[in-house]
Amino acid sequence: MQPQTLFWILLALAVYGYYLGRKRALTVSGGNIRRLHSLPDYYGYYVALWCALPALAILSLWLLLDDKIILQWVLAELPPTYRNLPPDRLSLTVNVIENLLAGERQASTVDPALAEAAEHYRQLKHLGYQALTVLVLAGATAALTWAQRRITPGLRARNRVEAVIRIALIASSVLAILTTIGIVLSVLFEALRFFEMVSPLEFFFGLHWSPQIAIRADQVGASGSFGFIPLLTGTLLITAIAMAVAAPLGLLSAIYLSEFAKRRTRAIVKPLLEVLAGVPTVVYGFFAALVVAPWLRDLGARLGLSISSESALAAGLVMGIMIIPFVSSLTDDALTAVPRSLREGAYGLGATQAETITGVLLPAALPGIVSGLLLAVSRAIGETMIVVMAAGMAAKLTLNPLESVTTITVQIVALLVGDQEFDSPKTLAAFALGLTLFVITLLLNLVALHVIRKYREQYE
Amino acid sequence: MSTVITERHTTPDPESDGHRTVGDYTLAEPRITCRHVNVFYGDKQALFDINLDIGQREVIALIGPSGCGKSTFLRCLNRMNDIIEGCRVEGDIRLDDQDIYAKEMDPVLLRARVGMVFQKPNPFPKSIYDNVAYGPRIHGLAGNRTELDEIVETSLKRAGLWKEVKDRLDHPATGLSGGQQQRLCIARTIAVNPEVVLMDEPCSALDPIATATIEQLIDELRSRYTIVIVTHSMQQAARVSQRTAYFHMGRLIEVGKTTEIFTNPRHPLTEDYITGRFG
Ligand SMILES: Nc1ncnc2c1ncn2[C@@H]1O[C@H](COP(=O)(O)OP(=O)(O)O)[C@@H](O)[C@H]1O
Ligand SMILES: [Mg+2]
């Protein structure tokens, strides 16, 4: 029997358990459900959970482990010539067996001992499944009967079911947290390995970034240099340009939408603005590279400025357009959420619309506005595609928006593209950059939280 | 018999309505005069041909079942209806003989002369001091910090709040109790030195003790300001007002001295309301 079939049968059993439990609860209540501790549904869930959960646990444990256990078993029965092989050779043997099982090799082309092992493996697996099926189904049925028997009017079925739900909720959040911790730790350890090869001093204060590693020892420029400052300035420069576009445009359009626009205009304009954030960044990228950058270069030529065809300005401008909705949407929501009574209070005192907006509404909406700005900054810092296409890959240490620069994320991509050794400083540098990026955004969040807490004008 | 019932259930046409307010709505020396005021929300008419004078330094109470248009009428007096989309006001409303709906009249300046206190206390999420100072600041009433301090202090004193808050002027206003917040809103309103103060059910969110304090305050404020108060409590109307106007389904049914309205209502609808038959 296929594991899927088994799963569906279990599910059907659980549904059956639900009805049995419900029915049983109604029977023991003597037709008066007020004598029951919980509503009849909960007795149904109670039986269903007992029926399904332990059986599912056995099923998944088996599916996780059976291949490994059976493989050990089969290997132990191979002739000693195989059993005494060193580990790397042994794994080759395992490969052969696996290929046989997958039907990618014919049994006639290999050592008969191995063919026999594969056959044995297949038999064991089949037997295992049969045992599993019997075990799971018998277990589920037994649990169902047992749980159903336990139903009395006093059984606190609701509390039991709620406990299971609570555990499921906790497990989900723990899983999310553990994943995050896992990612951070793995990045951290790889970054530490990097810092064993390149001193942190050079990384954090070095002014030169060229991570090429020599292929031959006698090559010119044999060692790469890993000064991260040009990447930081590049990132900050592009982010600053993007925010210089997005912050005023986003704020002003939010103010227009929430305070001036008629309801119908707002219903049309707001979704349109939000579409900006949904356009794939690669589209923005080639828009920046093929339209904005040449246009800027021509404009510069006419004004007597030399603007390189890949410039921080082009990337920043386009990125700014892209992140407008983060600012405008959140600001608009925050402004709309300011209670009507505050608006009326200000107008009632003879405040003009401008005075009401600047003196009452914007301060009251500050937390929302700050989080909008922050979200926009994080998007700008993390954006890769537009920069690759419009600002280039050259790590120049400059604050001139007319030159080409590169950013942290772009370099991470550059470091990991192509064939890499996993322990060269070039590859590991990506982890150090990732860690730095993570710390930067974390700090940004902390600063913003502090700002919000300090300056928030809280209404109720 | 059947004809009588049909008549009672037809909604009266405002044009051929022929309804006349009972009682004398004119005054010899009015501060505000309203003539033939009609208000519409979109197509729906909320007020029908209201005529009413409001005097100097009097407290006039507007009473009536909810939805009868008391708030709507109040908001005509400082053009707060302007900020409601789809709201249209017709007729003639004069403050000190100036047409407040005239083109030359700036609603912003009008609202500084006709202040408003709302149903739910709505202090700004700022400090107590900044709440009171907000109006004087935007209207440039104080030349320097000392003058502003003075305005804040007198306003808080007049609102009977000074003693309670003088040591924590820089605390957030939202930390005050409901009654204190409402008195703060009154202080905020009188800090711009208005001529008229409109109050829309100012005590409906407050407990009896806070209500008593505010009622006493209203009585004291009468010596300086004209006060128009909407209330759903007839006892409150009787306690604080000199004149009372009874509204019903968008019409002004009866107006007169408070004592007379409550002891001797002339219109059957007024009588029904006052004796608690509905409302
Ligand atoms: N903003 C609005 N839009 C549409 N109709 C409104 C609005 N405000 C009030 N109304 C209607 O106008 C009538 C009078 O309302 P209102 O003046 O608030 O009554 P009151 O204050 O006496 O309870 C009610 O029927 C109400 O539904
Ligand atoms: Mg009202």
Side-chain angles (χ1 to χ4, degrees):
Chain A
M1 197 183 293
Q2 294 291 313
Q4 289 100 308
T5 330
L6 201 53
F7 177 80
W8 289 117
I9 292 177
L10 259 185
L11 213 63
L13 257 180
V15 173
Y16 177 62
Y18 168 82
Y19 281 110
L20 271 190
R22 229 185 100 100
K23 209 169 113 211
R24 167 99 182 145
L26 288 173
T27 317
V28 297
S29 75
N32 177 10
I33 60 166
R34 307 194 56 178
R35 282 184 52 217
L36 292 174
H37 168 269
S38 316
L39 288 173
D41 277 348
Y42 282 106
Y43 293 93
Y45 294 134
Y46 174 78
V47 175
L49 286 175
W50 262 116
C51 166
L53 287 186
L56 273 180
I58 297 174
L59 181 62
S60 31
L61 212 64
W62 185 283
L63 292 180
L64 273 179
L65 297 180
D66 70 340
D67 281 337
K68 286 190 192 103
I69 294 174
I70 295 176
L71 191 65
Q72 288 311 315
W73 195 329
V74 170
L75 288 181
E77 290 184 352
L78 280 177
T81 39
Y82 285 108
R83 256 184 294 146
N84 298 335
L85 284 174
D88 50 338
R89 298 286 310 280
L90 193 64
S91 80
L92 279 180
T93 316
V94 171
N95 253 339
V96 173
I97 297 179
E98 278 169 355
N99 285 344
L100 280 172
L101 287 169
E104 283 161 13
R105 277 180 90 155
Q106 297 302 317
S108 51
T109 62
V110 297
D111 180 351
L114 289 183
E116 196 179 310
E119 187 52 35
H120 191 195
Y121 184 102
R122 212 174 275 137
Q123 274 172 7
L124 280 177
K125 183 122 184 159
H126 184 71
L127 207 68
Y129 260 146
Q130 281 176 336
L132 174 72
T133 309
V134 171
L135 184 68
V136 164
L137 289 184
T141 321
L144 188 151
T145 324
W146 179 76
Q148 202 238 125
R149 285 263 173 74
R150 281 186 35 136
I151 292 178
T152 58
L155 178 74
R156 298 165 158 259
R158 177 171 53 80
N159 306 38
R160 303 286 169 84
V161 172
E162 280 170 353
V164 172
I165 293 175
R166 195 164 49 240
I167 290 171
L169 294 180
I170 293 173
S172 320
S173 52
V174 166
L175 192 71
I177 294 171
L178 285 184
T179 316
T180 315
I181 293 178
I183 293 175
V184 171
L185 283 184
S186 79
V187 172
L188 185 70
F189 284 128
E190 299 295 325
L192 286 180
R193 277 177 65 198
F194 171 75
F195 287 129
E196 277 165 15
M197 299 181 216
V198 176
S199 98
L201 224 59
E202 187 200 330
F203 181 74
F204 287 113
F205 299 102
L207 301 182
H208 191 66
W209 176 268
S210 69
Q212 284 71 13
I213 294 293
I215 297 170
R216 301 185 315 272
D218 58 343
Q219 216 172 5
V220 191
S223 68
S225 53
F226 293 92
F228 131 98
I229 294 291
L231 305 188
L232 183 67
T233 54
T235 306
L236 294 183
L237 180 63
I238 290 188
T239 305
I241 296 172
M243 287 311 288
V245 174
L249 284 182
L251 277 175
L252 293 179
S253 54
I255 290 175
Y256 166 73
L257 280 179
S258 73
E259 302 304 315
F260 294 90
K262 290 243 160 52
R263 208 174 298 161
R264 192 174 308 156
T265 324
R266 188 183 137 89
I268 298 171
V269 174
K270 202 176 176 197
L272 276 183
L273 253 181
E274 280 163 7
V275 163
L276 282 181
V279 176
T281 55
V282 67
V283 176
Y284 280 110
F286 66 69
F287 176 66
L290 301 181
V291 180
V292 178
W295 178 76
L296 277 176
R297 197 189 44 216
D298 294 348
L299 186 76
R302 228 171 296 151
L303 297 177
L305 289 169
S306 90
I307 302 181
S308 74
S309 57
E310 287 180 329
S311 67
L313 191 60
L317 285 179
V318 173
M319 198 191 287
I321 303 287
M322 179 188 78
I323 59 181
I324 284 176
F326 292 99
V327 182
S328 72
S329 216
L330 276 138
T331 304
D332 176 64
D333 289 345
L335 282 175
T336 324
V338 175
R340 187 186 172 75
S341 64
L342 284 187
R343 252 165 258 257
E344 293 193 324
Y347 287 128
L349 286 171
T352 62
Q353 198 162 12
E355 286 160 352
T356 307
I357 292 167
T358 53
V360 176
L361 301 182
L362 287 180
L366 186 74
I369 296 173
V370 172
S371 44
L373 289 175
L374 193 77
L375 198 62
V377 170
S378 324
R379 260 323 282 268
I381 290 182
E383 177 50 41
T384 317
M385 217 32 156
I386 298 179
V387 186
V388 173
M389 297 175 82
M393 310 271 270
K396 265 187 221 158
L397 180 59
T398 174
L399 282 178
N400 181 358
L402 308 181
E403 286 188 45
S404 88
V405 297
T406 191
T407 63
I408 299 178
T409 51
V410 169
Q411 286 310 309
I412 293 180
V413 175
L415 288 173
L416 295 182
V417 173
D419 289 338
Q420 301 296 336
E421 301 162 63
F422 252 94
D423 47 4
S424 84
K426 188 177 167 188
T427 313
L428 291 175
F431 289 96
L433 287 179
L435 188 68
T436 321
L437 199 59
F438 174 74
V439 171
I440 291 176
T441 31
L442 193 71
L443 285 179
L444 251 163
N445 274 297
L446 290 180
V447 169
L449 263 183
H450 177 75
V451 169
I452 290 173
R453 225 172 267 152
K454 183 143 183 222
Y455 296 102
R456 115 147 96 197
E457 296 190 341
Q458 195 168 17
Y459 49 88
E460 297 210 299
Chain B
M1 190 63 196
S2 62
T3 44
V4 176
I5 291 173
T6 345
E7 259 178 36
R8 275 175 111 198
H9 284 263
T10 347
T11 25
D13 176 7
E15 305 301 330
S16 60
D17 179 18
H19 165 77
R20 274 275 170 85
T21 300
V22 175
D24 188 3
Y25 56 76
T26 62
L27 288 175
E29 277 184 31
R31 171 142 259 170
I32 300 177
T33 57
C34 308
R35 292 293 176 269
H36 309 298
V37 175
N38 292 299
V39 179
F40 303 82
Y41 291 110
D43 297 334
K44 193 174 152 250
Q45 188 163 4
L47 285 181
F48 300 85
D49 195 36
I50 307 291
N51 295 290
L52 185 63
D53 283 1
I54 294 163
Q56 319 266 6
R57 300 197 176 146
E58 72 164 345
V59 178
I60 180 168
L62 312 182
I63 61 170
S66 60
C68 68
K70 306 177 298 285
S71 301
T72 304
F73 177 68
L74 202 67
R75 300 162 63 93
C76 290
L77 303 180
N78 66 346
R79 291 185 57 175
M80 280 299 270
N81 285 329
D82 289 15
I83 60 175
I84 295 180
E85 223 178 299
C87 182
R88 196 171 89 246
V89 178
E90 286 174 1
D92 185 59
I93 303 179
R94 291 170 181 276
L95 170 66
D96 295 332
D97 219 31
Q98 271 179 292
D99 180 0
I100 67 168
Y101 281 87
K103 273 216 185 70
E104 314 81 67
M105 176 60 79
D106 183 349
V108 164
L109 298 179
L110 172 71
R111 289 183 200 132
R113 289 169 63 190
V114 184
M116 188 157 194
V117 177
F118 298 84
Q119 185 162 353
K120 224 179 102 224
N122 58 348
F124 300 133
K126 300 175 186 293
S127 72
I128 295 172
Y129 184 96
D130 286 338
N131 261 277
V132 184
Y134 184 79
R137 275 186 181 137
I138 59 177
H139 295 296
L141 298 185
N144 53 41
R145 181 73 195 211
T146 341
E147 278 177 42
L148 191 61
D149 287 349
E150 246 163 58
I151 295 180
V152 170
E153 184 174 339
T154 20
S155 309
L156 283 170
K157 275 182 177 155
R158 279 191 198 154
L161 194 61
W162 176 250
K163 280 204 194 100
E164 290 157 64
V165 301
K166 65 171 189 286
D167 298 323
R168 45 172 174 152
L169 290 175
D170 55 341
H171 287 213
T174 37
L176 295 173
S177 76
Q180 289 173 324
Q181 289 189 9
Q182 194 62 302
R183 277 181 283 148
L184 179 69
C185 292
I186 294 176
R188 185 175 76 182
T189 305
I190 59 187
V192 272
N193 209 11
E195 299 158 34
V196 181
V197 178
L198 311 174
M199 298 188 176
D200 193 348
E201 305 193 18
C203 303
S204 64
L206 305 184
D207 63 71
I209 294 176
T211 302
T213 321
I214 298 224
E215 284 179 6
Q216 201 192 342
L217 173 62
I218 292 172
D219 210 46
E220 288 161 18
L221 294 175
R222 176 157 64 96
S223 61
R224 292 171 191 280
Y225 313 98
T226 295
I227 294 173
V228 187
I229 179 172
V230 171
T231 171
H232 60 247
S233 147
M234 279 168 284
Q235 291 88 335
Q236 184 168 69
R239 280 194 297 262
V240 301
S241 70
Q242 286 75 56
R243 287 204 307 149
T244 296
Y246 174 66
F247 283 73
H248 186 85
M249 290 180 64
R251 290 177 182 75
L252 176 54
I253 304 295
E254 182 168 353
V255 60
K257 288 220 167 65
T258 300
T259 43
E260 280 169 23
I261 295 255
F262 280 95
T263 52
N264 190 16
R266 286 156 64 195
H267 196 286
L269 283 172
T270 321
E271 188 179 348
D272 283 356
Y273 184 70
I274 283 171
T275 53
R277 223 161 289 168
F278 64 85

